[in-house]
Amino acid sequence: MQILVLHGPNLNLLGSREPTVYGSTTLVQIDTNLAEIAAKAGFSLESFQSNHEGALVDRIQTAAREGCRFIIINPAAYTHTSVAMRDALAAVDLPFIEVHLSNIHKRETFRHHSFFSELALGVICGLGAQGYQLALACAIEQLGNPLSRPA
Ligand code: DQA
């Protein structure tokens, strides 16, 4: 797996969870779409969602050992609280893009701070599910197209 997509807590409820804030696209639809785009570009992509901070830390650590080269992450509520996930990303030293469906800067002040943004290659927020596609387009660009690489 070359690209890992990580989703934090409550994102498994996308589609029915506060649709006016997060849209009506389900997580399965997002992940299926990303896997298709990545496959067309010649990359393997895996998605992982958890409601548990430790499970997400474990997945970040495992990704590095498995040869993952790029992470797209929506840490969800852990964006605003998790030093442990930030430390895991710093430890593995993989490039990552932080994605949020909603514009966290237009919302409650406790959502304005992210423990991740400082380390991220880039941050996309407020563009709904399209934000993941834009992040993936960037990841593909960054990793280069293996189909055009010399053998
Ligand atoms: C979110 C924004 C967070 O503040 C919130 O806790 C989420 C989702 C987003 O995608 O807009 O769960 O990361």
Side-chain angles (χ1 to χ4, degrees), residues 9 11 17 22 74 76-77 79-80 99-102 104 107 111:
L11 294 175
R17 174 193 182 198
Y22 299 115
N74 182 349
T79 305
H80 322 295
V99 174
H100 301 284
L101 295 141
S102 65
I104 53 176
R107 302 182 62 195
R111 295 188 202 272

Side-chain angles (χ1 to χ4, degrees), residues 46-119:
E46 207 176 291
S47 296
F48 178 78
Q49 188 277 331
S50 180
N51 295 324
H52 304 279
E53 188 175 20
L56 290 159
V57 169
D58 285 345
R59 194 65 195 89
I60 292 166
Q61 291 185 10
T62 313
R65 290 197 293 271
E66 286 172 348
C68 172
R69 295 172 59 205
F70 204 101
I71 294 177
I72 295 168
I73 182 167
N74 182 349
Y78 289 138
T79 305
H80 322 295
T81 64
S82 183
V83 176
M85 283 172 64
R86 175 201 162 108
D87 284 352
L89 286 164
V92 300
D93 200 23
L94 287 170
F96 72 92
I97 296 177
E98 175 183 349
V99 174
H100 301 284
L101 295 141
S102 65
N103 181 349
I104 53 176
H105 303 290
K106 271 212 291 210
R107 302 182 62 195
E108 303 95 323
T109 45
F110 69 84
R111 295 188 202 272
H112 296 180
H113 177 257
S114 163
F115 278 102
F116 297 79
S117 302
E118 214 184 317
L119 302 180

